Amino acid sequence: MSNIVNDVVEDYIRGTLAENTGQIKEMEKYAKENSVPIIHKEVSELLRVILNIHKPKRILEIGCAIGYSSIFFSSVLNNDVEIITTERNPVMLEQAEKNIEKAGLNNIKILVGDAQETLKNVEGNFDMIFIDAAKGQYKMFFDTVIDKLNVNGIVVSDNILYKGMIADDGLVVRRKRTIVKRMRDYLDYLCQAEYLDTSIIPIGDGVAISYKNGDRK
């Protein structure tokens, strides 16, 4: 499997973007040393721009891991946001709770357990949904929560090109075929649904940004 962006271009972009500082940088170091997947640098900076433009007051995140994305989102928005996130891995959960406590944040709530179940009980509406969890379940996650997204809200689906396998059958690993098929179906849905305007951006491992222009029929 290969990167979806030329290595030279990717290295240039990452080297040009300003580095994070403080706890965010510490978490990036921890993630690298412990092989914890977090959002790619170029994707996080895209999201910084989107957050500053959109200024969501409530964000639903599916896939917390060590809490990096939630804490990053909160820092960009000067903590003027409520974030609901999900995590079922006890090791990740423990680290996320430590990181959130260290950051002194009380605006991030973690729903513990399988997202397929915990998402059913989420209350209220959201201005943004960020999906970064089990790749073969994106459509299920989406269907469970899309009606909780306000009109004019956005859905960000990360790692959407899955090491390029989504675009090229020659890159598909046999054990990943079901995941690839489901992700392709999900992307087709995002791009064809009339109540969504979707852009697929080939940075990081691929990110889809979908704008909800009306209610789902």
Side-chain angles (χ1 to χ4, degrees):
M1 290 184 290
S2 60
N3 293 335
I4 65 170
V5 179
N6 179 285
D7 288 344
V8 174
V9 175
E10 188 175 80
D11 289 344
Y12 171 77
I13 293 172
R14 292 180 181 178
T16 302
L17 295 169
E19 288 192 10
N20 289 310
T21 59
Q23 187 180 356
I24 297 293
K25 187 174 180 63
E26 292 175 8
M27 293 172 68
E28 290 171 350
K29 181 181 178 182
Y30 175 92
K32 184 176 182 179
E33 291 175 349
N34 293 275
S35 300
V36 176
I38 59 174
I39 49 177
H40 293 257
K41 175 62 177 175
E42 57 273 32
V43 175
S44 70
E45 292 309 302
L46 171 63
L47 293 177
R48 185 193 298 276
V49 173
I50 291 172
L51 290 166
N52 279 317
I53 294 172
H54 190 53
K55 299 190 185 305
K57 292 297 183 182
R58 293 194 85 215
I59 297 175
L60 175 61
E61 176 189 53
I62 304 172
C64 178
I66 61 172
Y68 178 85
S69 300
S70 290
I71 293 173
F72 176 78
F73 296 161
S74 186
S75 69
V76 171
L77 296 166
N78 297 316
N79 304 326
D80 185 23
V81 60
E82 178 186 1
I83 300 173
I84 307 296
T85 185
T86 68
E87 185 56 53
R88 67 178 182 178
N89 184 311
V91 176
M92 295 291 188
L93 177 62
E94 181 180 4
Q95 192 62 41
E97 291 174 337
K98 288 180 180 178
N99 288 330
I100 292 168
E101 181 179 2
K102 182 178 180 179
L105 299 175
N106 58 13
N107 59 325
I108 300 174
K109 178 182 178 182
I110 304 176
L111 303 178
V112 181
D114 191 321
Q116 186 172 358
E117 296 302 321
T118 59
L119 290 174
K120 294 177 182 178
N121 300 317
V122 172
E123 297 181 351
N125 283 15
F126 296 88
D127 306 303
M128 174 176 162
I129 296 172
F130 181 64
I131 305 178
D132 186 14
K135 303 301 174 281
Q137 303 299 322
Y138 272 32
K139 183 59 163 58
M140 181 275 292
F141 295 145
F142 179 93
D143 287 340
T144 302
V145 299
I146 187 58
D147 291 333
K148 296 181 183 296
L149 181 69
N150 291 320
V151 173
N152 300 322
I154 57 176
V155 179
V156 178
S157 305
D158 199 18
N159 302 316
I160 204 74
L161 296 178
Y162 203 37
K163 302 297 184 184
M165 287 189 282
I166 303 304
D168 186 348
D169 283 339
L171 296 175
V172 178
V173 178
R174 172 178 288 235
R175 66 180 184 278
K176 303 291 187 180
R177 286 178 179 173
T178 298
I179 293 175
V180 169
K181 181 184 184 303
R182 289 179 178 178
M183 191 67 90
R184 286 173 175 169
D185 290 344
Y186 175 60
L187 273 175
D188 286 344
Y189 178 83
L190 292 182
C191 293
Q192 294 171 16
E194 292 184 356
Y195 69 97
L196 298 173
D197 298 312
T198 295
S199 177
I200 303 171
I201 305 171
I203 60 174
D205 196 20
V207 58
I209 301 174
S210 303
Y211 171 77
K212 187 177 180 182
N213 60 46
D215 289 320
R216 179 167 63 161
K217 298 179 181 178

